[in-house]
Amino acid sequence: MEELVFGVIGGTALLMYGVDMMGDGLEKASGDTMKKILTVLTGRVWSAFLVGILVTAVVQSSTAITVLTVGFVNSGLMSLPQAIGIIYGANIGTTITAQLMAFSFKFKLTDIALPVLGIGFGISHISKNKKFKNIGQALMGFGMMFLGLKILNSGIPYMQESKSLRYFFTHYASIPIIGILLGAFATAMVHSSAATIGLVMVLGQAGLLDIQSAICIMLGDNIGTCLTAQLASMTGNINARRTAWAHTFYNLFGVILTGMVLPIFIKIVTAITLYFQPNADISAYIANSHTLFNSINALIFLPSTKYYVKFLNKLIRPKDDTHTKKVFLDKLLLDTPVAALQASRSEIIRGAKIAKEMLINVMDLLYTDDIKKLTLISDSEVTINEMQRELTKYIVEISNRELTENQSIMIPATISSINNIERIGDRIIDISQLYETKTDKGLKFSENAFDELKEIENTIIEMFDNVIVALSKRDEKSIERIIELENQVDDISETFQKNHIERLNDGRCNIDSGIIYIDIIGHLERIADHIYKIGMFSKDELFGKRREFK
């Protein structure tokens, strides 16, 4: 009995660690796949569904993908319908691990566990190429997973002889509701449905579970895997919570529906398995039930996703108005740098929009003397300063992760970009202070001065609009326009200063007013310079490309 207990503990630990290590290695080796989540997705749920299958098939962890999806939604990188499509697909993609385990029982893949582990270790520690290192890590995880199964398999004779185990599984686990609860509890504890499925297969091989009991525990696994996403969404916004509940309700509905027609479902699993795998053992039946359950569930939900989203919006309501504030820098994304860096760029876009609004407000202040704008400008400055601090901390955390060369290029560019936005905020505050000085002294600007300020303002606003587009999709036309507009600001600033000197010489302008006007022009010119610098980062570094200096 002691050998059985130690074997179950050690085998389960190796199985869980192997699944995690394999998934982690595959995820790092296929970093571009994560990028596809952000770039390939359209508004269609079907494309999200297919991406969910693909990515989870590569990473082999529906829990990790679901948690990542919660982070995407919380950061505004993905809409709720897209996230739901990802969840549908992720639940199917993760079943490949169970199929692989069933395959290993039939073809004795557990016997090659140690050689695979050794080969993976060799590749991981000898290769200098990061991608090969990650592939080596995935192979080590693969080997550990099968080694864990082998150790668990070695306990089968003891399990078969144990009267207490046989009594428990025969009299209790065979009751559908208890089997479902057992599976849910086990998966919630270990945070891995694949590990629990592996244990169910071993128990089935030992003859302690029949097909019905095994399927009931498998159904419970799908409920237990929802806990991690629920925990991840607790600190998120309303859409992140809706995403987590979408995952939970989706699996609950599938389990309840399958439970209601359990005998029919078992017959379907049996018929399909006998047709495609006539000589299969119970492991194949368990793996196929896992795949069929998630496939049927997805096919039921896919056509009705629009109504499912409406249901979630009505049921999961915000507690207050804080949900209207977007939170791009979600810590759930940190372990996936490509997603975290995309979120960081989204934060820069948000900062650029706030700075643009600040400029509009400060210029309105000059034109209309609406002192209410002062409060808005001050509040925006506080927001930008806080944004700079938080984004800098976030980027430092990203830089501590394992990054590709392209991702490393993005780190300093992101920090420089948010610093330029902060400096724009400072320049606008300086302009508002110049307005206060002008007002305190009772000074006035001429109509010509106002016309010139409006012209330079319109040019800078257009620069803002183009830099926001360039940050969003690296648009070459927008970048070219930014360069043209920056040159235009330099030219008209010089022209306006000459015009002002002429007005002074003609006595059409007050000297004190003139000094303030020249200072405002100077600040506006510097704002254009900062926007230009962000535009140049959006041309190359912010998208992971090293700048070519000619």
Side-chain angles (χ1 to χ4, degrees), residues 130-178:
K130 279 187 178 181
K131 192 159 191 173
F132 282 115
K133 279 181 174 290
N134 293 327
I135 291 171
Q137 181 185 338
L139 283 173
M140 285 177 67
F142 187 85
M144 284 186 185
M145 181 178 78
F146 285 136
L147 184 59
L149 281 174
K150 187 174 184 178
I151 293 170
L152 288 170
N153 275 342
S154 67
I156 286 178
Y158 298 98
M159 295 178 191
Q160 290 172 330
E161 293 171 6
S162 173
K163 292 182 180 179
S164 56
L165 279 176
R166 186 170 293 278
Y167 180 85
F168 173 79
F169 285 108
T170 304
H171 289 80
Y172 295 106
S174 60
I175 302 170
I177 188 64
I178 292 180

Side-chain angles (χ1 to χ4, degrees), residues 409 532-533 536-537 539-541 545-550:
I409 292 170
Y532 170 82
K533 289 176 182 177
M536 291 305 97
F537 284 127
K539 179 177 179 290
D540 296 301
E541 290 94 333
K545 304 293 181 184
R546 195 175 296 281
R547 193 182 304 188
E548 295 180 6
F549 294 94
K550 296 180 182 179

Side-chain angles (χ1 to χ4, degrees), residues 10 45 57 219 234 315 343 359 366 371 394 415 447 472 479 548:
V45 177
L219 293 174
M234 288 178 69
L315 189 68
L359 178 66
L366 288 170
I371 59 172
Y394 194 73
I415 293 175
E447 286 300 319
S472 301
I479 293 166
E548 295 180 6

Side-chain angles (χ1 to χ4, degrees), residues 315-327:
L315 189 68
I316 316 298
R317 293 182 177 275
K319 296 177 182 178
D320 49 45
D321 292 335
T322 57
H323 71 285
T324 56
K325 182 181 177 182
K326 282 190 175 180
V327 181

Side-chain angles (χ1 to χ4, degrees), residues 11 14-26 57-60 96-105 108-121 134-150:
L14 273 173
L15 177 62
M16 288 170 55
Y17 188 69
V19 169
D20 285 345
M21 180 178 274
M22 181 178 69
D24 191 44
L26 289 171
V58 172
V59 175
Q60 278 310 296
I96 291 175
T97 305
Q99 294 290 350
L100 199 58
M101 289 178 184
F103 189 74
S104 74
F105 282 111
K108 304 297 180 185
L109 292 182
T110 52
D111 292 341
I112 63 168
L114 289 175
V116 170
L117 182 58
I119 292 168
F121 178 82
N134 293 327
I135 291 171
Q137 181 185 338
L139 283 173
M140 285 177 67
F142 187 85
M144 284 186 185
M145 181 178 78
F146 285 136
L147 184 59
L149 281 174
K150 187 174 184 178

Side-chain angles (χ1 to χ4, degrees), residues 44-94:
R44 297 184 180 181
V45 177
W46 277 96
S47 63
F49 168 64
L50 294 173
V51 170
I53 294 175
L54 173 66
V55 173
T56 314
V58 172
V59 175
Q60 278 310 296
S61 174
S62 63
T63 302
I65 295 300
T66 303
V67 169
L68 188 61
T69 302
V70 170
F72 285 159
V73 174
N74 195 42
S75 298
L77 304 179
M78 188 182 291
S79 68
L80 183 58
Q82 288 175 335
I84 291 172
I86 288 281
I87 288 167
Y88 296 162
N91 279 20
I92 295 174
T94 192

